[in-house]
Amino acid sequence: MATFLEVKGVTKMFGGLAALSDLSFSVGQGEIVGLIGPNGAGKTTAFNAISGTHPPTSGTVRFKGTDITGGPPSRVVRLGLARTFQATSIYPAVSVEENIYRGAVAEIDASLLDQLHNGDRTRAAVARARENVEGVLETMGLAQFRHTLAGRLSYGYQKRLGVAVALATRPELLLLDEPAAGLNPEESAEFGRLLRTLRGDRKLTLLLVEHHMALVMDLCERIVVLVQGEKIAEGSPAEVRVNPLVIEAYLGAPEYAHA
């Protein structure tokens, strides 16, 4: 499996404290990989370093063979890497359709002059963006809510919309920051099935941070475990769930090793 994302020796300092320390791992094209660890382990910091939101102090991040260390995020998105956030990052006062369109306009690459004059290139790009929005609405099961204000959606559908906005940028690699946070077990299982479908239908590679262990163990093909900014384990779900270091530092309950 070809390496799609490579994180090598990434360290992130805040003052004299290391939020990440010499973190290295890779994600193969088409994989679903989980990044887990207790609160404060550095998972979101890792996402910020990968996506260019907060550049690492040292180390490198490569995506599809291109060095993307330090971003900026707009360049990273154009290369095909998108992310969601822990909180629902939507515009509550506009419609579901408009939220997704705001993600889709990232692909409009016409010059400012052409956009100001609504030139041929701009019109063609807008038409592609609108077509993209329709596809995302259908894929994410949001078509029935297209005219609903995003703030009026249930929390579960707001989480879907956050993923939909990221999908509208046409990513090849999607970073999901706690996509099942706040969902009940049934909603979480449904979300997992949706993510697996997205991987197949849209040929996505997925890297997710998640505390919902049932989802992680069922969905992910490989798991990277962080504790206090350092990687302590990496492997398949079966390997991670019985790793003594992981059980002691994160999973906690010994009986989980047999779950």
Side-chain angles (χ1 to χ4, degrees):
M1 181 179 294
T3 298
F4 213 45
L5 174 71
E6 182 182 29
V7 177
K8 188 172 183 180
V10 165
T11 294
K12 178 62 179 179
M13 304 294 296
F14 291 101
L17 298 176
L20 291 175
S21 181
D22 195 28
L23 175 62
S24 296
F25 69 93
S26 62
V27 178
Q29 188 171 10
E31 266 194 307
I32 302 179
V33 176
L35 186 62
I36 69 170
N39 289 330
K43 304 181 298 296
T44 295
T45 302
F47 267 24
N48 289 339
I50 292 168
S51 63
T53 306
H54 295 297
T57 304
S58 61
T60 59
V61 180
R62 300 184 69 84
F63 175 52
K64 296 191 299 184
T66 299
D67 189 338
I68 61 169
T69 311
S74 57
R75 171 175 174 261
V76 174
V77 168
R78 286 195 298 272
L79 284 171
L81 189 157
R83 69 169 291 186
T84 66
F85 295 83
Q86 289 180 13
T88 52
S89 51
I90 60 173
Y91 298 95
V94 302
S95 71
V96 167
E97 184 175 25
E98 178 63 21
N99 267 271
I100 299 173
Y101 182 74
R102 292 184 184 194
V105 295
E107 67 177 336
I108 296 179
D109 60 354
S111 68
L112 177 60
L113 183 62
D114 193 83
Q115 291 182 52
L116 288 173
H117 290 88
N118 195 29
D120 291 344
R121 189 168 181 176
T122 296
R123 289 197 299 273
V126 169
R128 288 195 301 272
R130 290 294 183 190
E131 183 179 2
N132 182 15
V133 170
E134 290 301 317
V136 171
L137 281 166
E138 291 295 333
T139 296
M140 296 301 296
L142 292 169
Q144 61 184 315
F145 303 115
R146 68 168 65 238
H147 300 305
T148 302
L149 294 182
R152 294 183 179 175
L153 291 175
S154 68
Y155 183 73
Y157 274 105
Q158 286 186 17
K159 297 287 283 188
R160 279 192 182 221
L161 179 56
V163 175
V165 173
L167 276 184
T169 68
R170 299 185 191 271
E172 296 175 65
L173 172 61
L174 184 57
L175 276 55
L176 299 160
D177 199 347
E178 298 195 29
L183 303 183
N184 63 41
E186 183 178 336
E187 290 171 329
S188 178
E190 182 182 356
F191 210 93
R193 290 190 291 272
L194 175 61
L195 293 179
R196 191 175 282 111
T197 298
L198 288 177
R199 191 266 293 267
D201 291 352
R202 289 184 170 251
K203 296 180 173 56
L204 281 174
T205 301
L206 301 176
L207 175 63
L208 68 148
V209 164
E210 185 52 67
H211 286 290
H212 195 298
M213 285 298 98
L215 174 63
V216 170
M217 294 295 176
D218 179 63
L219 180 65
C220 296
E221 293 144 347
R222 195 157 47 84
I223 298 171
V224 177
V225 187
L226 295 182
V227 173
Q228 296 181 341
E230 297 185 1
K231 184 176 78 172
I232 66 165
E234 180 177 354
S236 69
E239 293 168 334
V240 165
R241 63 159 52 99
V242 298
N243 185 306
L245 290 175
V246 179
I247 294 171
E248 178 183 359
Y250 181 46
L251 298 180
E255 61 268 21
Y256 188 85
H258 304 290

